[in-house]
């Protein structure tokens, strides 16, 4: 879309195209059924049973005998509980890790078109750290945008790689491995040893950091019990987006105004720190029952049925 619209409609066409999926979702969401659990808590048993029967019909099965009953509303919890008791350490580590991962992720995305300018590698190899692009031409050619698209294709390959690693190694080891890989490939981008090799380094960096973010987005909900899961994941997404915002400042204030080499050197320690801190997370969650709710009289936790095991 970027390649085909740059010369015809400009970035306004790209932005308009990006709005289309959101508009479709606004319509589709109107036809999505409510959660039977929420309806049971809200004492709307008939509607909950209707949705369960619909789910059973879609899956070519029948509901087990019996009837639903209203369940008491569980403790809603408070976001402050992320930073108390057994969750405090993991929460602080997780917030930094997701911030670091998204910082590198958007550092890659925002800088890609500039990195494929014809003179980047040559300038990097002859001018040391201070390779300034303050007067860089921000009009990108079709080959430069196509190179950006090729690197971005790493996100598709990262999904099966991530699935294989997390199945074989579990959450924590996979997180450490992907964090280290992200740091290594980010640091490898400092010397530009030719456009083809440089493109490969950026491709591997993008693949590693995207898989790393996928790992965090799976691990975080498994770490927290139901009563604070949504609030915890919401705060994690805030720090994730904060990393993206700061990445834009780094790309344009450090990369363009000073040096993209300095930008890569700046990002690498964040990725490495996130990988090391993964070692200190609370626990491995692969194959374990998800935590449901906390009892009012203590920290004892109950679990949901075995068919909800994390895999």
């Amino acid at each position: 879309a970027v390649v085909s619209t740059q010369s015809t409609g400009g970035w306004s066409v790209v932005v308009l195209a990006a709005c289309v999926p959101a508009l479709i979702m606004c319509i589709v969401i109107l036809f999505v059924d409510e959660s039977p659990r929420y309806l049971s808590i809200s004492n709307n048993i008939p509607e909950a049973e209707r949705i369960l029967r619909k789910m059973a019909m879609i899956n070519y099965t029948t509901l087990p005998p019996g009837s639903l009953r209203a369940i008491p509303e569980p403790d809603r919890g408070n976001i402050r509980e992320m930073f108390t008791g057994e969750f405090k350490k993991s929460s602080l580590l997780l917030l930094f890790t997701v911030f670091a991962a998204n910082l590198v992720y958007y550092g890659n995305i925002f800088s890609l078109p500039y990195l494929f300018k014809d003179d980047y590698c040559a300038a990097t190899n002859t001018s040391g750290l201070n390779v300034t692009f303050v007067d860089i031409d921000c009009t990108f050619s079709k080959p430069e945008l196509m190179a950006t698209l090729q690197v971005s294709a790493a996100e598709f390959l990262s999904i099966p790689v991530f699935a294989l690693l997390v199945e074989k190694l579990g959450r924590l080891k996979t997180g450490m491995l992907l964090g280290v890989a992200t740091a290594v490939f980010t640091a490898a981008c400092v010397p530009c040893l030719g456009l083809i090799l440089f493109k490969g380094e950026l491709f591997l960096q993008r693949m590693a950091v995207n898989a790393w973010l996928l790992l965090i987005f799976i691990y975080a909900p498994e770490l927290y019990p139901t009563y604070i899961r949504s609030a915890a994941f919401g705060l994690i997404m805030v720090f994730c987006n904060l990393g993206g915002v700061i990445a834009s400042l780094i790309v344009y204030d450090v990369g363009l105004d000073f040096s993209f080499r300095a930008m890569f050197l700046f990002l690498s320690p964040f990725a490495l720190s996130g990988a090391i801190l993964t070692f200190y997370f609370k626990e491995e969650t692969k194959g374990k029952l998800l935590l449901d709710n906390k009892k009012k009289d203590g920290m004892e936790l109950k679990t949901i049925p075995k068919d909800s095991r994390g895999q």
Side-chain angles (χ1 to χ4, degrees):
V2 173
V3 174
S4 62
T5 60
Q6 187 185 21
S7 61
T8 56
W11 287 104
S12 59
V13 177
V14 179
V15 174
L16 181 61
C19 293
V20 173
L23 293 175
I24 294 175
M25 285 301 301
C26 289
I27 298 173
V28 171
I29 197 68
L30 298 175
F31 300 94
V32 176
D33 291 319
E34 185 57 82
S35 163
R37 177 183 173 86
Y38 171 79
L39 293 170
S40 298
I41 293 173
S42 304
N43 203 28
N44 191 351
I45 301 301
E47 181 65 11
E49 291 179 337
R50 183 191 71 79
I51 294 174
L52 288 174
R53 287 193 297 269
K54 179 180 177 181
M55 293 167 61
M57 181 181 67
I58 292 174
N59 289 278
Y60 302 103
T61 186
T62 58
L63 294 176
S67 59
L68 291 180
R69 59 181 178 84
I71 59 177
E73 184 173 356
D75 294 336
R76 292 295 183 183
N78 192 295
I79 200 169
R80 290 192 299 269
E81 297 190 47
M82 286 180 62
F83 305 101
T84 59
E86 61 180 308
F87 301 116
K88 179 179 180 180
K89 181 179 177 181
S90 293
S91 295
L92 294 173
L93 297 178
L94 196 57
L95 290 176
F96 176 83
T97 301
V98 74
F99 169 82
N102 219 39
L103 184 71
V104 177
Y105 177 78
Y106 277 102
N108 179 299
I109 289 178
F110 292 146
S111 63
L112 275 183
Y114 302 102
L115 296 176
F116 290 123
K117 301 298 285 185
D118 292 339
D119 55 351
Y120 173 70
C121 282
T124 298
N125 291 332
T126 58
S127 305
L129 264 183
N130 189 15
V131 184
T132 179
F133 283 81
V134 66
D135 297 322
I136 194 170
D137 180 9
C138 291
T139 301
F140 304 112
S141 66
K142 187 172 182 178
E144 291 161 358
L145 291 173
M146 285 302 298
T148 300
L149 183 62
Q150 291 167 1
V151 172
S152 300
E155 298 209 12
F156 296 100
L157 184 58
S158 70
I159 297 174
V161 171
F162 160 74
L164 178 63
L165 288 175
V166 81
E167 179 63 27
K168 297 294 184 181
L169 303 179
R171 277 43 165 173
L172 299 188
K173 291 182 180 179
T174 299
M176 286 184 281
L177 177 62
L178 292 174
V180 170
T182 299
V184 169
F185 293 130
T186 302
C189 292
V190 174
C192 189
L193 304 177
L195 187 60
I196 295 178
L197 181 59
F198 184 58
K199 187 188 297 185
E201 291 165 349
L202 288 170
F203 183 93
L204 293 173
Q205 181 209 37
R206 182 72 163 270
M207 184 171 67
V209 72
N210 187 66
W212 195 17
L213 283 169
L214 290 174
L215 183 280
I216 294 171
F217 294 153
I218 287 180
Y219 179 76
E222 294 176 345
L223 182 65
Y224 298 101
T226 302
Y227 75 103
I228 60 170
R229 184 172 294 134
S230 296
F233 194 70
L235 183 61
I236 288 168
M237 290 304 300
V238 169
F239 274 75
C240 181
N241 293 330
L242 182 62
V245 171
I246 295 179
S248 66
L249 300 177
I250 293 173
V251 169
Y252 297 113
D253 291 341
V254 178
L256 286 176
D257 291 347
F258 180 64
S259 164
F260 278 108
R261 298 185 73 183
M263 181 196 76
F264 287 126
L265 285 173
F266 179 84
L267 294 177
S268 297
F270 279 92
L272 185 59
S273 299
I276 295 173
L277 292 178
T278 305
F279 179 78
Y280 298 97
F281 280 171
K282 175 176 175 283
E283 63 178 344
E284 174 61 62
T285 57
K286 180 180 181 294
K288 294 186 177 180
L289 299 177
L290 296 176
L291 299 176
D292 192 3
N293 273 311
K294 181 182 71 173
K295 290 187 176 180
K296 292 183 178 180
D297 56 353
M299 289 301 295
E300 183 181 355
L301 298 168
K302 65 180 182 178
T303 57
I304 61 179
K306 290 186 179 180
D307 57 1
S308 296
R309 289 179 183 271
Q311 297 295 328

